[in-house]
Amino acid sequence: MNSSAKLKLVLENGQEFYGIASGALFPAVGEIVFNTSVVGYQEIISDPAYAGQIVVMTYPAIGQYGITDEDYESRTPRLAGLVVRECSSTPSNFRYTKTLSEELEEHGIPCISGVDTRMISHIIRENGSLMGAIVPAGTPLEQALEIIAGHKPEGHPVAGVSCRKRWFSRTPHHRFDVVILDCGVKHGMIEALNERGCNVTVVPFNSTLNEIAAFNPDGVLVSGGPGNPMELEEIVSLLKGLRGRYPLAGTGLGHLLIALSYGAKVEKSGCGQYGDMPVRSLSAGRIFTAMHSCHYSVDGDSAKAAGLQITHLNVVDSTVEGISCDADRVFSVAFCPEGAPGPRESEFFDEFVKMMED
C-alpha cells in the first residue's frame, strides 16, 4: 500500500471523488452501499453479505482500533472495496494485530480515503442503487464508465461465500443440534447458538433435503448473505420441504428466502438498509436497535396474503422486519440478531431455542 498513491471513486452517473490509497492498489467494481455504523468496521468488512460491494462508511474516522484476530465474522473479507473519510494508521487498542490498511492490502481490497463520504451516501439515498469503480486517479472518465458498464459478475455471490463442505461447531453439555444453511454465515451467529447449548453443523447453500435430514437436527437456520434472493430458486424449493418438518428460522437473506418460499413478494429497496436502525417488535410491544445489511425487503401485503404474520416493522420506513408462521414453526427477521457489529437487544436466538424446546 502506497499512502501517496491517488485513486478516485467513479459512480455510474459520472460523478467522481478523488482520494488516496489506504489499501491494495487494485481496481474494484461493485454496487455502492453506505453503512452508518460508528464502530464495528472489522465485522462489516468480514461480513459475507457485502460480497462484491463497495462499502462507504459514513462515520468519518475508521480504523482507530485496528484489526483483531478474534473479531472476524468470516475467514476472508469479500467486499469489493472500501470508501472512508479518514483511515487511521495508528490504532489505539492493546488487542490489535494489524492496521485496517494492512488487512485490506493483504486481501487485495482497495480502499480510498480522503473523500466526502457523507455526500456519497446522500447521492445513494437520493438516487437509489448505483454501481461504481475505484480506479487510479488518472483513469479517463469514459474508460472508468466502460469498466463499470462491462462488469458482469460470474454466478450468484452466495456460491462464493458459502462453505464447500460441512463443518461443525460444538459446545459442552449441548441440548440441541442445529443445522445452518450457509448462505454467508457469520461467526457471531454460531457463537450465539453455542452459548445457548446448541451444537451447530454448517452445510453448503446447495445442500439437499436428505443431506440436512441425515443430521437429524432439532432446528434449521438459514443465514444471511449477499445478492438477489430471487435468483436462488433451489434454496426456495428446499425451504418448502423444510417448513413444518423442523423448526425453521432465518436472518437477512434467509428471511427473504423464507418469505419467497411462501409466495410472498420481495422487492429491492432504494438505497437498502445498512447500519443500525430501530425496529418495533409487534408481539413484545417494544422498540430496539438492530444492525442491518440487506438491500431487499418483504412486501407486507403479499406476506399477509400468503398466510404469514408480520412480527416486526422498521420504525423509520415501516418496512417488514420479521415474519412468522406458527403452524409451520417458522419465523425470520431482516436484521442481524447476533449483533456483530451492533446491539444484541433482539430475542431471536432465545425464541429459536424455545421453539425447539416446545
Side-chain angles (χ1 to χ4, degrees):
M1 185 271 296
N2 182 356
S3 60
S4 63
K6 300 293 184 180
L7 296 175
K8 68 177 178 180
L9 172 68
V10 180
L11 306 183
E12 65 175 297
N13 62 8
Q15 290 180 279
E16 300 173 291
F17 297 86
Y18 289 83
I20 60 175
S22 297
L25 292 176
F26 295 109
V29 184
E31 182 181 34
I32 309 290
V33 300
F34 66 86
N35 190 294
T36 59
S37 300
V38 175
V39 296
Y41 55 81
Q42 179 175 348
E43 291 87 345
I44 290 168
I45 68 170
S46 60
D47 184 348
Y50 291 101
Q53 295 178 325
I54 296 175
V55 180
V56 179
M57 300 297 297
T58 61
Y59 190 72
I62 301 297
Q64 311 96 309
Y65 51 87
I67 297 292
T68 305
D69 291 342
E70 295 86 2
D71 293 345
Y72 290 101
E73 284 304 309
S74 65
R75 296 177 181 177
T76 305
R78 303 285 186 177
L79 75 168
L82 187 67
V83 182
V84 301
R85 175 62 180 170
E86 177 185 344
C87 187
S88 174
S89 59
T90 55
S92 177
N93 177 9
F94 73 96
R95 297 174 65 235
Y96 96 94
T97 54
K98 66 182 73 170
T99 67
L100 174 60
S101 296
E102 291 168 341
E103 171 72 357
L104 295 173
E105 184 178 6
E106 181 175 335
H107 293 284
I109 299 170
C111 173
I112 179 172
S113 62
V115 299
D116 189 343
T117 54
R118 297 297 181 95
M119 179 179 289
I120 297 171
S121 62
H122 178 74
I123 292 170
I124 298 170
R125 185 176 293 278
E126 292 298 315
N127 295 274
S129 177
L130 288 172
M131 293 292 291
I134 298 175
V135 295
T139 305
L141 176 59
E142 295 76 12
Q143 182 180 344
L145 293 176
E146 289 177 2
I147 293 174
I148 296 172
H151 177 65
K152 299 188 184 303
E154 296 182 5
H156 197 282
V158 163
V161 301
S162 178
C163 61
R164 303 290 178 86
K165 299 288 185 180
R166 60 99 179 97
W167 59 281
F168 304 103
S169 179
R170 298 183 176 90
T171 187
H173 312 297
H174 86 284
R175 301 166 58 206
F176 302 103
D177 293 289
V178 175
V179 167
I180 294 181
L181 190 67
D182 183 10
C183 297
V185 68
K186 297 163 66 177
H187 292 167
M189 175 177 288
I190 298 169
E191 293 168 1
L193 290 169
N194 287 159
E195 290 170 359
R196 290 164 174 81
C198 300
N199 277 352
V200 175
T201 303
V202 182
V203 301
F205 78 102
N206 54 359
S207 299
T208 66
L209 180 59
N210 289 337
E211 288 171 339
I212 292 175
F215 294 105
N216 192 29
D218 297 300
V220 178
L221 198 153
V222 190
S223 79
N228 185 347
M230 291 170 281
E231 297 175 355
L232 296 169
E233 293 88 354
E234 291 184 3
I235 299 181
V236 173
S237 297
L238 170 65
L239 297 183
K240 291 179 181 178
L242 291 171
R243 288 175 0 207
R245 186 167 180 170
Y246 309 102
L248 177 64
T251 68
L253 179 65
H255 160 74
L256 302 170
L257 292 168
I258 287 175
L260 288 172
S261 75
Y262 279 92
K265 294 180 181 178
V266 170
E267 305 167 327
K268 192 167 187 177
S269 52
C271 59
Q273 296 177 342
Y274 298 91
D276 292 332
M277 301 189 75
V279 175
R280 183 188 302 276
S281 171
L282 301 182
S283 58
R286 68 185 185 95
I287 294 174
F288 58 91
T289 304
M291 168 60 65
H292 296 69
S293 58
C294 191
H295 215 138
Y296 295 81
S297 60
V298 175
D299 175 72
D301 291 337
S302 67
K304 293 177 182 178
L308 295 168
Q309 180 183 355
I310 308 301
T311 59
H312 298 76
L313 290 174
N314 190 295
V315 175
V316 176
D317 57 14
S318 297
T319 54
V320 175
E321 292 273 359
I323 55 175
S324 70
C325 178
D326 294 340
D328 290 338
R329 298 177 298 171
V330 173
F331 77 108
S332 63
V333 294
F335 48 86
C336 306
E338 70 281 351
R344 299 187 178 187
E345 299 176 54
S346 167
E347 298 175 349
F348 174 87
F349 293 105
D350 294 329
E351 293 174 1
F352 185 50
V353 169
K354 186 177 186 305
M355 183 180 289
M356 291 189 288
E357 287 176 342
D358 294 342

